[in-house]
Amino acid sequence: MLGSLVGVLDLLLGVLRPAVFVAGAFAAVAAVVSYSVRTRKISPFSPFARFTRDKVDPWLIAPMERRIMRAGGTPYAAPWWALAAVIVGGLILLSAVGFVRDQLMMLAYMSGSGASLAALLVRWTFGILKLALFARVISSWVGGSPYSKWWRWSYVLTEWFLAPLRQVIPTIGMIDITVLIAYFGLGIIESVITSALL
């Protein structure tokens, strides 16, 4: 059962890798053309520019442009932000599928004994906590709120151990290194617990 799921995920990764590459290449071309039309390096009245405005911008650039305008940015940056979103989204998708595949392989390997299964559950728990820390960092970069439906889960999972650490660990200038120390601390605790179980 697990072996067949791993096989399906291998096939999916084999399809997704070139698809993400093609999507990234298409988004790069679209971003360059859209930026060139917006800055009038390409005549906005040419057929090429009209095609870009009618067919590409509405579904790739316009949604990003609306978000940038709401945040107070300039519309000229929208093509580059759209390109970054496609690339980062593709990498996250590939990483997520690869992560699930690796976890299924590990589950199949470790399902033989109770201690191995407990060690796997410990790894999963700490992996989720590390993912929540990473999400908090991304949230701080993009201005996400701890009350937002997209980021709240990461604050709920991590604030219980970050709040006491903040009282002990000083900031370096304006930089709060609590998340970084917590990430490495979780890794040390995880390795101690898994080595004790195994």
Side-chain angles (χ1 to χ4, degrees):
M1 174 70 179
L2 289 176
S4 62
L5 279 175
V6 170
V8 167
L9 290 176
D10 281 336
L11 287 174
L12 183 61
L13 279 173
V15 171
L16 281 178
R17 284 186 185 115
V20 166
F21 177 78
V22 168
F26 176 76
V29 170
V32 167
V33 171
S34 180
Y35 180 77
S36 299
V37 169
R38 288 164 185 262
T39 57
R40 301 193 185 269
K41 292 182 170 67
I42 294 177
S43 170
F45 305 108
S46 68
F48 195 58
R50 279 198 299 271
F51 174 81
T52 301
R53 280 196 310 271
D54 293 341
K55 305 294 184 198
V56 177
D57 280 3
W59 62 270
L60 180 65
I61 310 296
M64 188 60 67
E65 183 177 17
R66 285 191 292 274
R67 298 192 77 130
I68 290 171
M69 295 297 287
R70 278 197 303 265
T74 62
Y76 295 113
W80 305 122
W81 279 104
L83 173 61
V86 169
I87 290 172
V88 170
L91 291 176
I92 289 173
L93 177 64
L94 288 175
S95 298
V97 173
F99 174 78
V100 170
R101 177 194 171 278
D102 293 344
Q103 298 310 308
L104 287 175
M105 285 181 64
M106 194 180 305
L107 181 62
Y109 177 72
M110 294 186 149
S111 62
S113 72
S116 297
L117 194 55
L120 180 64
L121 291 176
V122 167
R123 285 189 180 170
W124 284 353
T125 302
F126 280 91
I128 290 169
L129 290 175
K130 289 178 183 177
L131 179 66
L133 285 173
F134 183 69
R136 281 189 70 153
V137 170
I138 299 297
S139 166
S140 70
W141 290 348
V142 298
S145 166
Y147 307 106
S148 162
K149 65 180 178 180
W150 300 105
W151 305 109
R152 186 181 315 130
W153 66 274
S154 65
Y155 286 84
V156 169
L157 287 177
T158 58
E159 191 60 28
W160 64 272
F161 63 87
L162 284 179
L165 283 176
R166 267 195 223 97
Q167 295 173 358
V168 178
I169 300 168
T171 58
I172 299 175
M174 293 178 59
I175 301 172
D176 181 14
I177 60 169
T178 309
V179 173
L180 185 64
I181 291 175
Y183 185 86
F184 288 116
L186 286 174
I188 292 169
I189 295 169
E190 176 189 358
S191 64
V192 168
I193 293 173
T194 53
S195 62
L197 286 171
L198 296 174

